Every structure is written in C-alpha cells, then in structure tokens.
Amino acid sequence: MSKKAAKPKPVREVLPDTATLLPLDEYDYIIVAFSGGKDSMACVLHLLDLGIAPERIELWHYCVDGKPGTQNIWDWPITESYCKAFSYAMNIPLLLHWKEGGLMGEVLRDKRPTAPTTITRGDGSTVTAGGDGRLNSRLYWPQLSKTPEGRYCSSYVKMDVAAKVFSNDPRFKGRKSLMLTGERREESNARAVYAAVTADKSTTQNRRVDHWRPVLDWSEERVWEIMQRYGVNPHPAYYLGWSRLSCMTCIYGKPDQWYTIRQIAPQIFDYFSQYEKILNRTVDRDVDVATKADAGKSTIDPKYGYLVALALQTHFPVEYMLTAPGQKWWMPPGAFHHTGGPT
C-alpha cells in the first residue's frame, strides 16, 4: 500500500489590528519595553529615525531578578548597567520596574500571595503595589509554551509589571500612551501572526494605551544594520554566541548555552541544577540542565573570550556603548543563529 500524502499544515492568518496608530506627535508618552536586546534597541533607533526627540521617549526595563542590585539568577549581570549606559549615551530616560523577589521568588512561591510590584514613576519616585492576593503555590519552572501565559516568566515579570505601571502612576490618567515592543515575525511561527497595533490591556475609559510592534516585519539583517548605523555596540551576550537577549538562563536554552553557562558561571549553573532536585522538576520538562549541558559545546569564540568578565559584572562603562569615530563596528558571532528563546 502506498502511504497517504501528509496533510499540509494550515496557514495561520495574521491577526487583525485592534487599534489605530495615531500620528506619533499625538501621544503624550512614547514608551519602549527595553531589554537591552537588539530588537528593542531597533525600536528605539527607529523612533529616532522618525524624528522623535530623545526626551519624548521612555525606556522601561523590567528587572527579572527583582530589586536592582539583587543577585542575578536569570538575567545577565551586566544587563541593567548596559541599559543605563545606553540611556545615558542617547539621552533617553530609563525607568526600572520589578516584581519583589523576582522570577525565582515566583518559582518558589509556596502558600503565599503573588509578590507585590515596585514601579518607578515619571517623577523618579517608586511605589509598591499589590501583594495582597489569595494564598497559592507555584513550585514549578516556567513552561515551554507558545503563549506568554504558558511560559509565565514573560507575563509575570514583564507584562503584568507594565500593567501595574500604567495603573499606579497618575500621570497616565486622561492621556494617550504608546507602548512599543520588539517582536518580529521571522523569529517564530507564533510571532508571525501577531497584529502590528493593538489596544493594550491597560486601556480604560480614561486612559488610552496603544501597543505597537514597529519592527514586526523587519529582517534580522535590518535590525543589525540600524544598530551599526547608529554605532551602538551590542550587549556582550551576543559576542558570547547568544542570538537573543532573553535571560542568560532562559528556559528555551539549548545544550550549547547550558554548556557555556556551566563553563563561565558554574555557581549559577549549580543553582539551577540543585533546584531541579529540590522541586523534583526539570527546567526543560524532558531533560535536566546537566544532561543538556553534557550534550553541548561552548558558544564562545576565543576572539571574544575577554568579554566574559564584562558580561558577568554589574558595571558597563558608558564609553563602551557607542563606537568611537573611525572605530570598526563588529558583527557579533551570535547574529543570525537561533540559540534559544520563545517560539
């Protein structure tokens, strides 16, 4: 008998926009969710290309490990300082927001409410909100999922935090705000169907928040091109072989990444390995991090090995942020590779 031909996979239609992008000068606030990665960086530089003055832009960085200065378990230690250096070099305000206890606090939550959120308001003051919900337990790692809700790390330490900012800073009342994020269609099948402009869930009767994905149709080549044109030196992780700036210890990390983490940051690697045993659950539901690392190899090109120390420290010198006149801009080895991240 001849085998039946495989049924073609259905083509998923792009989701329709649920909001209309206003002329940019009609927004009271223009905000970029800023990880320090290449795609959120491209959003910022694209705004500058469109003639938006730096002082009209706000960068919001969500500190995934909790209060700034806390020991890094998930994120690269250098990331927060890298974001500050970019803010300073480009004269664009940066605001830091975080869940108390960070992502690991939620992983280990046992019979207690979801942690409160601390936000930085536009006047520079901080306020803490929430934390008074019902008692509940998590005690498992974020799951590999096509949706932010499934991989709760994204929704918990980023999306939920952003919503708290809009609802707890009175300057947004009666105003129009635009939130930019850096998803791109070519990153995955799930992102390929995203709408370009949507009404953000923070929109209310007296507060308009539009969500715009300005680089949704960009190629990765175009992203690197705009960074090179502005002379912005990429985050050190890209030079260590990472293709995406999610967490250093991303749940989507491939064997080569876990091998490299064990190579350059053994204490952080051991932390995850130990907590897999404590929770009796592995980060990847199919295999523990040690077995995953054993199957990998180092992502680090010896040419850039000197940047390991920079990536693992907490101070990024501002003078390293932009290439000096006449200085060559180097394409990082992590470019044009897929080494982990949400699909």
Side-chain angles (χ1 to χ4, degrees), residues 34-52:
F34 189 71
S35 67
K38 66 183 187 303
D39 299 321
S40 60
M41 187 79 71
C43 291
V44 180
L45 302 179
H46 183 53
L47 287 173
L48 297 178
D49 270 358
L50 293 175
I52 304 301

Side-chain angles (χ1 to χ4, degrees), residues 27 29 65-66 75 82 86 108 133 152 155 178-179 186 194-195 277 279 286 296 305 333 338 340:
Y27 288 102
Y29 301 101
D65 284 300
D75 213 355
Y82 176 85
F86 177 78
L108 301 178
Y152 69 81
S155 57
L178 181 63
M179 170 66 79
E186 74 171 16
Y194 280 0
K277 296 180 177 67
L279 295 173
D286 296 323
H338 185 72

Side-chain angles (χ1 to χ4, degrees), residues 113-129:
T114 296
T117 300
T118 297
I119 69 163
T120 305
R121 289 172 165 169
D123 61 6
S125 64
T126 59
V127 62
T128 300

Side-chain angles (χ1 to χ4, degrees), residues 43-320:
C43 291
V44 180
L45 302 179
H46 183 53
L47 287 173
L48 297 178
D49 270 358
L50 293 175
I52 304 301
E55 61 269 19
R56 288 204 61 217
I57 305 169
E58 285 184 17
L59 309 179
W60 288 6
H61 180 69
Y62 310 116
C63 305
V64 300
D65 284 300
K67 185 177 181 180
T70 305
Q71 179 184 5
N72 290 86
I73 299 300
W74 294 90
D75 213 355
W76 290 91
I78 197 61
T79 295
E80 182 186 315
S81 181
Y82 176 85
C83 293
K84 289 179 178 178
F86 177 78
S87 165
Y88 183 87
M90 306 300 286
N91 196 30
I92 299 174
L94 170 72
L95 302 181
L96 304 180
H97 316 291
W98 62 92
K99 275 282 192 178
E100 294 295 335
L103 179 54
M104 203 63 199
E106 178 65 7
V107 173
L108 301 178
R109 181 162 62 88
D110 188 14
K111 298 177 183 177
R112 55 186 174 84
T114 296
T117 300
T118 297
I119 69 163
T120 305
R121 289 172 165 169
D123 61 6
S125 64
T126 59
V127 62
T128 300
D132 53 357
R134 62 190 179 90
L135 302 183
N136 209 332
S137 300
R138 181 80 74 171
L139 297 175
Y140 67 89
W141 307 97
Q143 301 295 291
L144 305 182
S145 171
K146 292 182 179 180
T147 66
E149 292 74 23
R151 57 176 188 276
Y152 69 81
C153 46
S154 295
S155 57
Y156 182 78
V157 295
K158 295 181 180 181
M159 297 162 64
D160 292 352
V161 171
K164 280 286 195 300
V165 182
F166 282 114
S167 60
N168 287 277
D169 190 336
R171 68 190 172 117
F172 296 113
K173 186 176 181 179
R175 301 292 183 177
K176 301 184 187 77
S177 300
L178 181 63
M179 170 66 79
L180 284 69
T181 58
E183 299 93 342
R184 291 183 300 109
R185 297 194 195 282
E186 74 171 16
E187 291 178 299
S188 69
N189 290 333
R191 294 185 176 191
V193 301
Y194 280 0
V197 185
T198 58
D200 190 85
K201 67 178 184 178
S202 296
T203 295
T204 65
Q205 288 185 338
N206 62 8
R207 178 176 64 227
R208 175 171 177 163
V209 183
D210 292 338
H211 181 180
W212 182 32
R213 298 181 172 99
V215 300
L216 190 58
D217 292 307
W218 286 30
S219 65
E220 183 176 344
E221 183 178 17
R222 186 176 176 186
V223 170
W224 291 120
E225 184 278 330
I226 197 170
M227 289 187 66
Q228 181 176 9
R229 178 156 51 86
Y230 275 88
V232 177
N233 288 318
H235 188 287
Y238 292 113
Y239 289 100
L240 301 183
W242 263 247
S243 65
R244 298 174 70 173
L245 194 71
S246 50
C247 291
M248 174 175 67
T249 49
C250 180
I251 59 173
Y252 288 89
K254 294 184 180 296
D256 288 356
Q257 286 177 293
W258 284 106
Y259 179 100
T260 306
I261 293 165
R262 185 169 61 184
Q263 173 191 10
I264 66 175
Q267 290 182 321
I268 293 176
F269 182 90
D270 289 345
Y271 182 95
F272 276 84
S273 185
Q274 290 168 13
Y275 268 99
E276 285 186 325
K277 296 180 177 67
I278 292 170
L279 295 173
N280 196 29
R281 295 171 182 263
T282 52
V283 176
D284 183 321
R285 64 172 64 93
D286 296 323
V287 62
D288 60 81
V289 294
T291 302
K292 215 168 187 179
D294 288 343
K297 62 183 184 301
S298 179
T299 65
I300 300 175
D301 182 335
K303 177 180 178 181
Y304 296 105
Y306 70 96
L307 288 174
V308 169
L310 179 61
L312 297 178
Q313 69 183 35
T314 56
H315 173 65
F316 189 92
V318 175
E319 59 269 24
Y320 290 1

